[in-house]
Amino acid sequence: MSSVITATSDDLALSLEEQVARTSAQLDAYGHLVALAADNPADPARRRLHTVRSALEADRIAIVPVTLPPLASTLLAEQLRQLTGTDLGPGVLAGAARLLSYYLHSGALLGSVAKLDRVPVGVGAHVKSLVPGRHFAVVAHPEPYLAEAEPGNTPPGPGYQTQLAVAGKGLDPGWITGPLATAWRTQHTREVPLPVDSARWWGTSRLVEFTAYIADVGMLYQLVTSVRRDTCTWCGLEVIGDQCLFCATRLGDRTAPAKHAARQERAVESPRRPQIEPHKR
């Protein structure tokens, strides 16, 4: 079995000893952990997670960097937890985090873009931020978009069936639940709690975050199982993508036997374990 967690600033409220104990208990209960973390290596929550992994000397924790806003990261973790109830192994689930992130459309309605550094902000938008009552529609993933939030201004949306999650009460969400939901042809609008890191990520506390996502676990399963799988040549996990996210082995030589298979065929030498860079441990 596997469990999926998201590294947030809430983790830093725990002492290192408490977080190590909690993570150890999760490993005992589930066997493997897939942890979604910020793409910035200097992010404190991500660095703490690497420290916990090193303290436990656990190669059963996959730390997966994602370039997503907080709400999208939360929903991606939710999708992966749904998939833990299927026959997908931990290596495939970890790789699925990168795959499924492409199917998330995430942005926010902001009262100011003066401190926004996640998408390009022109001088005109900065000036308009100084005018009270201005609202800005911003999409950070999959493609950057910024415009004033008006009924006729809606960013390109997904070309497949999605639901729309809305989080935050800092502004009137009418543009999101009205023009945006209509333009994106969302099947259902769902109100969820605002993630703890959203204000810091978007550069303002006056926001309502939104993400269009696939809610059907059957469709998620089809997306993941349509991708080629390989066996990691070091740890033997079934994986998707070009790297095992648990032991960091590159799958460049796809014909090399897995370690477990090599034990059965003594004529084949077991591959050496690669040197893992400290920041990937």
Side-chain angles (χ1 to χ4, degrees):
M1 294 180 64
S2 306
S3 182
V4 182
I5 60 176
T6 304
T8 69
S9 58
D10 274 349
D11 297 335
L12 304 177
L14 301 173
S15 68
L16 178 59
E17 292 75 13
E18 288 175 321
Q19 192 170 357
V20 168
R22 179 178 296 186
T23 305
S24 178
Q26 288 177 307
L27 284 174
D28 290 341
Y30 296 101
H32 290 81
L33 281 180
V34 177
L36 306 183
D39 59 322
N40 180 8
D43 179 77
R46 176 175 167 178
R47 293 181 65 179
R48 167 65 76 85
L49 195 55
H50 279 284
T51 301
V52 170
R53 188 180 191 273
S54 297
L56 293 173
E57 297 183 346
D59 58 2
R60 293 178 294 143
I61 301 176
I63 301 177
V64 185
V66 291
T67 57
L68 295 172
L71 179 58
S73 294
T74 300
L75 292 169
L76 177 59
E78 180 181 280
Q79 290 176 325
L80 294 174
R81 291 189 196 103
Q82 289 179 295
L83 290 172
T84 60
T86 68
D87 59 355
L88 300 178
V92 174
L93 281 173
R98 293 177 174 176
L99 171 66
L100 296 181
S101 67
Y102 292 109
Y103 296 92
L104 295 168
H105 284 65
S106 189
L109 181 67
L110 305 179
S112 171
V113 293
K115 296 182 180 180
L116 178 65
D117 59 2
R118 301 292 180 169
V119 301
V121 180
V123 175
H126 273 293
V127 172
K128 290 178 182 179
S129 286
L130 303 176
V131 180
R134 298 276 188 166
H135 293 168
F136 298 88
V138 182
V139 172
H141 185 87
E143 297 293 336
Y145 172 93
L146 190 153
E148 287 194 69
E150 298 177 349
N153 288 344
T154 53
Y160 41 86
Q161 293 183 342
T162 61
Q163 293 190 15
L164 187 65
V166 182
K169 299 181 182 299
L171 296 172
D172 180 359
W175 178 84
I176 299 172
T177 57
L180 182 71
T182 300
W184 285 10
R185 299 192 298 275
T186 56
Q187 298 175 299
H188 175 71
T189 300
R190 168 190 172 196
E191 186 175 341
V192 298
L194 185 70
V196 64
D197 292 330
S198 291
R200 177 174 59 87
W201 203 94
W202 292 103
T204 178
S205 59
R206 297 180 58 236
L207 81 154
V208 178
E209 197 169 358
F210 58 85
T211 298
Y213 67 102
I214 297 173
D216 184 354
V217 66
M219 185 178 297
L220 296 173
Y221 182 81
Q222 289 180 14
L223 288 171
V224 176
T225 54
S226 67
V227 178
R228 169 178 170 169
R229 305 189 204 184
D230 290 286
T231 301
C232 175
T233 56
W234 170 251
C235 67
L237 287 177
E238 190 176 43
V239 299
I240 59 177
D242 60 355
Q243 183 181 28
C244 175
L245 297 173
F246 282 93
C247 69
T249 298
R250 292 281 179 184
L251 303 181
D253 183 5
R254 297 177 182 267
T255 62
K259 179 178 66 173
H260 301 300
R263 288 176 178 170
Q264 298 175 2
E265 300 179 15
R266 297 185 178 181
V268 181
E269 181 183 358
S270 297
R272 296 180 180 179
R273 183 170 187 170
Q275 295 298 314
I276 303 176
E277 297 175 16
H279 70 280
K280 293 183 179 178
R281 293 187 65 86

